[in-house]
Amino acid sequence: MSTTLYTPDREELAGLLVGEPRYRLDQLWTGLYTQLAAPADISNVPKALRERLSVELPTSLTQVVRKVSDDGDTVKYLWELHDGSRIETVLMLYPDRVTVCVSSQAGCAMACGFCATGQAGFTRQLSVGEIVEQVVVAAREARAMERRLANVVFMGMGEPMANEGAVWSSVERLHGAIGLSARHITISTVGIIPGIRKLTERKLPVNLAVSLHAANDTLRDELVPINTRYPLDDLMQACSEYLAAKGRRLSFEWALIDGVNDRERDAVELARLCRQFRLPAHVNLIPLNPTPGYPTIGSSKAKVAAFHQHLIGLGVNATVRRNRGTDIDAACGQLAAGQPVALRTKPAER
Ligand code: SAH
């Protein structure tokens, strides 16, 4: 694949500017990452160079659809990439902050049955440029609304720790070029232990989120199939090492599925697991969002509240996450890039 606008790092961009005065690099870098401008609009750079760069460094994302939720606080973009694969990005505007949820892969190979992306399967890895561009576009849109994008969550399509290299290079770019704080960047994983270990060695202390959903191996094997390769005890150990190395916040995602993982004993098991590994994790409770290929429904409001209370009672820090963008299929687990997801006939076994 030829390189795209947000692929080269500073040094690589310098390599494309041979024969240009030294300050061009700064002008371009600032134009791209501080002004969030398209090359054509970086007006202090000579027109001929801007034109050359527009050809040599095309952008990666072609907008197919842009949907805004009913209350206008969630924007979902569907992008087409140069090879026709499609990905989604979600921009979320809160009263006190702006967050973008980015994709790290086109599709996903993790096959979690309750997740629309997992149901659709894996297409390919995203490049650094494709990841960074999602953030730039969202930050530009936030700026147009007189808001500042400060938070990035790798919770869109794909498994970031199965594309660790590109994900990490993009984290460095977001931090170094756009100026986002590592504390405001969260990487979510199904629990790929080698990926978590790699993150532990990386310099920037980003937040780690683990999609747990079950606190025993039997149930987790079923809900998050990669658990058969990276079982809970090993996963908790890796999380604990991450925490010890970084002192960053660790969170567990728990999609509440009716009758599957929302009972009192599930709360007790989760509390026991956190205690056993001395993990002061924050649990994010998300009532399961509907997806075409998963028959079981999300827990009722009352069950969500009861589960939340059980956890609190057991001394586990937990919050219920408000669901955003369900009306535009932009909520957790609903990103399928407009692909029809085959309906499963077999209901989830318990
Ligand atoms: N692959 C990574 C990044 C995706 S994050 C990971 O799994 O962590 C998306 C989050 O939404 C994950 O916690 C995922 O388990 C959760 N999720 C998937 N399907 C969901 C659904 N139908 N309802 C609610 N949450 C869901």
Side-chain angles (χ1 to χ4, degrees), residues 114-115 154-156 158-160 188-190 211 213 253 255 286-289 291 332-333:
F114 54 86
C115 174
F154 284 85
M155 295 189 181
E159 168 48 45
S188 181
T189 176
V190 284
S211 299
H213 309 308
E253 317 291 310
I286 323 155
L288 186 83
N289 292 308
T291 58
C332 304

Side-chain angles (χ1 to χ4, degrees), residues 145-163:
M145 299 182 210
E146 296 184 359
R147 301 289 308 270
R148 194 179 94 81
L149 177 108
N151 302 281
V152 176
V153 296
F154 284 85
M155 295 189 181
M157 300 174 78
E159 168 48 45
M161 290 299 92
N163 189 14

Side-chain angles (χ1 to χ4, degrees), residues 101-102 104-105 108 110 112-119 153-161 187-191 209-213 220 223-224 252-257 284 286-291 294 296 298 321 323 331-335:
C101 176
V102 298
S104 56
Q105 299 180 315
C108 185
M110 297 299 116
C112 304
F114 54 86
C115 174
T117 315
Q119 289 157 19
V153 296
F154 284 85
M155 295 189 181
M157 300 174 78
E159 168 48 45
M161 290 299 92
I187 295 183
S188 181
T189 176
V190 284
V210 174
S211 299
L212 202 60
H213 309 308
R220 198 162 189 273
L223 294 177
V224 182
F252 290 142
E253 317 291 310
W254 195 280
L256 284 158
I257 313 173
N284 274 319
I286 323 155
L288 186 83
N289 292 308
T291 58
Y294 194 70
T296 316
R321 209 193 262 171
N323 246 326
C332 304
Q334 293 190 312
L335 304 183

